[in-house]
Amino acid sequence: MSVIPNPAPGDVAAEKTPTEPPHGDNYITHGKGFLSWALTIDHKRIGIMYMVGVLAAFFIGGIMAIALRTELIAPGATLMFWANDDAALNSNWRLYNQLFTVHGAVMVFMFIIPAIPAILGNMVLPIMLGAKDVAFPKLNLLSLYCWIGGSIFFTWILFGGVIGTLFGIQDMPWYFPKGLDTGWTFYTPYSTETNTGVLLGTIGVFILGFSSILTGVNFIATIHMLRPKGMGWGKLPLFLWALYATAIIQILATPVLAITVLLLMAEKVLGIGIFDPALGGDPVLYQHFFWFYSHPAVYIMILPGLGVISEIISIHSRKHIFGYKFIAASSLAIALFGFIVWGHHMFTSGQSALLNSVFSLLTMSVAIPSAVKVFNYLATLYNGRIRLDSPMLYALGFIWLFTIGGLTGLPLAALSTDIHYHDTYFVVAHFHYVMVGSTLFAFLAGMNHWWPKMFGKMLDEKWARIGAIMTFVGFNATFFIQFIAGSQGMPRRYADYDQQYFWYHLFSTLGSYVLTIGLFIVLFNWIHSLRKGKPAPANPWGANSLEWHTPSPPPHANFEDGVEPEGVDPYDYHGWDYDESIDGYVKKEGYVPKEHH
C-alpha cells in the first residue's frame, strides 16, 4: 500500500507541456441522424439511450413517490381532498393503491435494477477492458429494445387504472388496461382475485426480465473473452468484478421470476390450482418462488453500486484500494449468499421453526462479505489524500446509507424482533436505505465520476456538491424517521393512519421535498454541463483504469487509431502528473509501473 503526492491545481510547473491529443471524431459525432442511433451497435450509444429511458422511469417513479408522501402528510384525505363521502373516499383509496403500485414497480423493474449495469456498465465495461465493444453487440441492441418495449407496455398497464380511477371512468374500453393495485410483489391470493391487470402486468415484467438476462450473458462473455493482454483476473477493475457477479445472478435468478409469472398466468387463465387455496393451491408457494428471485435481485441492485464505490473511494483518495482480493471475492460471496436467504421474508407465514432458524442464521451471514467491503473502503480512506469532489461525497454518503441499511437488517434477520417489525415502516426504511438510497447514491456517484468521459464536459463542481449534500440530507430526513415510526407500530402500505403518527409522517414528507430539490439540482447541473460545461480532459481525476487512457468523449472505436492497450494495475496512480493547463492528469514520462503486492 502506498500514498502518492496529490497535486492541487497550480502545483505543476508552468513550463510543462500539455499532452492532450487533438480530438475530433468521437462516438457522439460519429454518424448523424435518427437511424444512426436507433440501429447503432456501439455500446456507448446504447448506454446513452438506456440513460434517457431509465432517468425518465426514475422521474415517473419519483412523481408517484411525492404524490404518496403528500397524501400521507396528515391523517385522512389530503391530496385526495375531493373525496367528501364514503364512496368517493373508497374510490380514492383504490387510487392510492394504484399509485403505490406504480411507484414500486417502476422504481424496482425500470430504474433500480437496470440503472447501473445498463447505463454505466454499457458505457465503460468494454473500455475498461481495452475492447472495441461488448462480445455480442447486436444482442446488446436487442436487450435495449426489450427494455424499451417492456417498459412502455408495463407503464401503459400501470397507468391505465390510475387514469380510469382519477377521472371516474366506470366502463373502460376493452383495449384500455385496468391498472394494478397489488404492489410490486404481485402477492397471491390477492393478485389472483383482483380484477386489475395482473396478467398483462406480469407480461411486462416477463419482457423486462429478458432484457436483464441478455445483458448478463453479454457482460459475462465480454469479461471472459475480451480482456486484454496483461489483464488477468487479479487486475480486473472491481467495478467489473461487481458486474460479473451481478450477471451471474441475472442469468440464474431471473428465469425463476419468469417461471413464477407464467404460473400466475396459468392459474388466472386456465384455472389451474397453483397459488389459490380455493383451487387447491398454496399462496406461500408464490412467496417462495417470488423471493427466490427477488432477494437475489436485491443484490442485482446493490452489487453494481458496490463496484462503483470501489472505484471512486480509491481514485478520489489517491490511494491503491485496500484488500483488492477480499473485495473481489466478497462480490461473488454476496451473489452466492443471495440465493440461500429468501426464507427470511416468510418468518410470519407459518413455515417451520427449524426452517426459520436456518434462514435467520444464513441471513445474518450475508453481513460478513458486506462488512468486508465497508471495512476495506474505510482502510482505503485511512491516510489517503481525500478529495471531496462530488463523486466522493456521494461515495461517503453511500457508506453511511449502506451501513445503516445493513445494521437495521439484523433486527429483521432475528426471529424475535422480526415479529414486531414485520410489515411496519421499519421495513420500509430498511428497504429504502439498502435498495434505493445506496443504489441511488452509487448511481449518482458513478454518473458524476464518469460524466466527463461520457460527454466530454465537466460538471459545475460547486452545484454538484450542493446537489449531493441536499440529496443526502433529504434522503435521511425522509427515511430515518420511518425507523422510529415503524418501531412504534406504524404499518406499511396504509393510506391513512392514527393521529399519533402525524409528526413522523409530516417530517418524512418535508424531507422528501428536500430530497426532490436536491435531485433537481443534480438534473439541472447535468443539463447545464451539456450546454455550457467546460471541455473535459482525458483524465480529470488521475485514475488509471483503461477508460481514462482514451480521450473524452471516447472515439467510435474506443481508443485512437483502434489501438487496444494492455492491461494495467487500475489502482496504481503513480504514473500520472497533474497538468494545470488542461486541469487534468497526463502520463508521467518514463514511468515504469511496478507490480503491486
Side-chain angles (χ1 to χ4, degrees), residues 83-168:
N84 51 12
D85 57 49
D86 288 345
L89 201 57
N90 286 333
S91 171
N92 285 302
W93 290 159
R94 285 198 296 275
L95 176 61
Y96 177 90
N97 286 339
Q98 291 176 340
L99 292 176
F100 172 87
T101 303
V102 173
H103 165 67
V106 168
M107 283 295 197
V108 170
F109 295 113
M110 294 166 56
F111 170 65
I112 303 176
I113 288 178
I116 295 178
I119 299 173
L120 299 177
N122 262 307
M123 178 57 66
V124 301
L125 182 146
I127 313 179
M128 290 178 104
L129 293 171
K132 293 179 180 177
D133 210 315
V134 292
F136 308 116
K138 292 180 181 176
L139 193 68
N140 203 21
L141 184 62
L142 176 62
S143 174
L144 169 69
Y145 280 110
C146 279
W147 186 86
I148 293 174
S151 296
I152 292 172
F153 183 75
F154 197 39
T155 307
W156 176 64
I157 299 301
L158 290 167
F159 273 97
V162 172
I163 294 171
T165 307
L166 196 60
F167 294 99

Side-chain angles (χ1 to χ4, degrees), residues 161-286:
V162 172
I163 294 171
T165 307
L166 196 60
F167 294 99
I169 304 173
Q170 299 296 328
D171 298 319
M172 302 284 281
W174 64 269
Y175 53 83
F176 213 80
K178 296 178 180 177
L180 270 175
D181 61 354
T182 61
W184 73 277
T185 57
F186 297 94
Y187 264 10
T188 56
Y190 182 69
S191 58
T192 60
E193 297 170 353
T194 178
N195 62 354
T196 56
V198 172
L199 190 60
L200 295 176
T202 53
I203 292 174
V205 174
F206 197 82
I207 300 170
L208 290 170
F210 265 107
S211 171
S212 187
I213 293 170
L214 296 180
T215 299
V217 169
N218 223 340
F219 282 3
I220 285 181
T222 304
I223 292 172
H224 273 275
M225 297 167 60
L226 300 184
R227 292 199 315 280
K229 180 182 177 183
M231 184 184 283
W233 288 97
K235 286 186 178 177
L236 196 66
L238 288 166
F239 180 47
L240 302 192
W241 268 110
L243 289 177
Y244 186 81
T246 304
I248 292 174
I249 304 175
Q250 287 173 312
I251 292 172
L252 296 181
T254 309
V256 178
L257 178 68
I259 293 168
T260 307
V261 297
L262 280 175
L263 291 174
L264 198 57
M265 291 180 202
E267 184 163 75
K268 285 187 73 75
V269 174
L270 305 175
I272 301 172
I274 302 171
F275 305 122
D276 188 350
L279 299 173
D282 182 356
V284 178
L285 178 62
Y286 176 86

Side-chain angles (χ1 to χ4, degrees), residues 386-398:
I386 298 172
R387 297 184 311 210
L388 294 179
D389 305 313
S390 56
M392 188 58 147
L393 291 179
Y394 284 114
L396 296 175
F398 171 93

Side-chain angles (χ1 to χ4, degrees), residues 203-460:
I203 292 174
V205 174
F206 197 82
I207 300 170
L208 290 170
F210 265 107
S211 171
S212 187
I213 293 170
L214 296 180
T215 299
V217 169
N218 223 340
F219 282 3
I220 285 181
T222 304
I223 292 172
H224 273 275
M225 297 167 60
L226 300 184
R227 292 199 315 280
K229 180 182 177 183
M231 184 184 283
W233 288 97
K235 286 186 178 177
L236 196 66
L238 288 166
F239 180 47
L240 302 192
W241 268 110
L243 289 177
Y244 186 81
T246 304
I248 292 174
I249 304 175
Q250 287 173 312
I251 292 172
L252 296 181
T254 309
V256 178
L257 178 68
I259 293 168
T260 307
V261 297
L262 280 175
L263 291 174
L264 198 57
M265 291 180 202
E267 184 163 75
K268 285 187 73 75
V269 174
L270 305 175
I272 301 172
I274 302 171
F275 305 122
D276 188 350
L279 299 173
D282 182 356
V284 178
L285 178 62
Y286 176 86
Q287 294 190 34
H288 279 287
F289 276 127
F290 182 81
W291 287 113
F292 185 82
Y293 160 76
S294 292
H295 200 82
V298 170
Y299 303 110
I300 292 175
M301 302 173 206
I302 196 62
L303 268 175
L306 288 163
V308 170
I309 300 304
S310 300
E311 301 295 324
I312 290 173
I313 288 291
S314 174
I315 293 169
H316 293 265
S317 58
R318 311 296 302 144
K319 190 179 169 189
H320 198 285
I321 192 76
F322 183 86
Y324 170 90
K325 292 180 181 176
F326 288 98
I327 295 177
S330 63
S331 292
L332 297 177
I334 289 173
L336 173 64
F337 278 112
F339 282 101
I340 55 177
V341 298
W342 79 93
H344 72 242
H345 292 277
M346 286 164 281
F347 283 160
T348 61
S349 69
Q351 67 184 3
S352 75
L354 175 61
L355 207 54
N356 279 348
S357 302
V358 171
F359 277 121
S360 176
L361 187 63
L362 290 172
T363 301
M364 289 188 183
S365 66
V366 179
I368 297 172
S370 302
V372 164
K373 287 185 180 294
V374 173
F375 287 135
N376 280 297
Y377 295 158
L378 297 179
T380 304
L381 290 170
Y382 180 71
N383 265 345
R385 291 180 178 272
I386 298 172
R387 297 184 311 210
L388 294 179
D389 305 313
S390 56
M392 188 58 147
L393 291 179
Y394 284 114
L396 296 175
F398 171 93
I399 292 175
W400 166 262
L401 299 177
F402 186 66
T403 303
I404 296 294
L407 291 175
T408 54
L410 295 177
L412 298 174
L415 293 171
S416 56
T417 45
D418 180 73
I419 301 299
H420 177 72
Y421 292 132
H422 187 78
D423 266 350
T424 69
Y425 261 60
F426 191 94
V427 177
V428 176
H430 164 73
F431 178 90
H432 279 82
Y433 264 84
V434 176
M435 290 176 62
V436 183
S438 298
T439 305
L440 175 63
F441 271 66
F443 172 66
L444 295 176
M447 287 293 289
N448 280 28
H449 178 69
W450 279 298
W451 186 272
K453 183 58 60 184
M454 293 165 69
F455 297 104
K457 295 290 186 69
M458 296 300 293
L459 293 169
D460 185 316

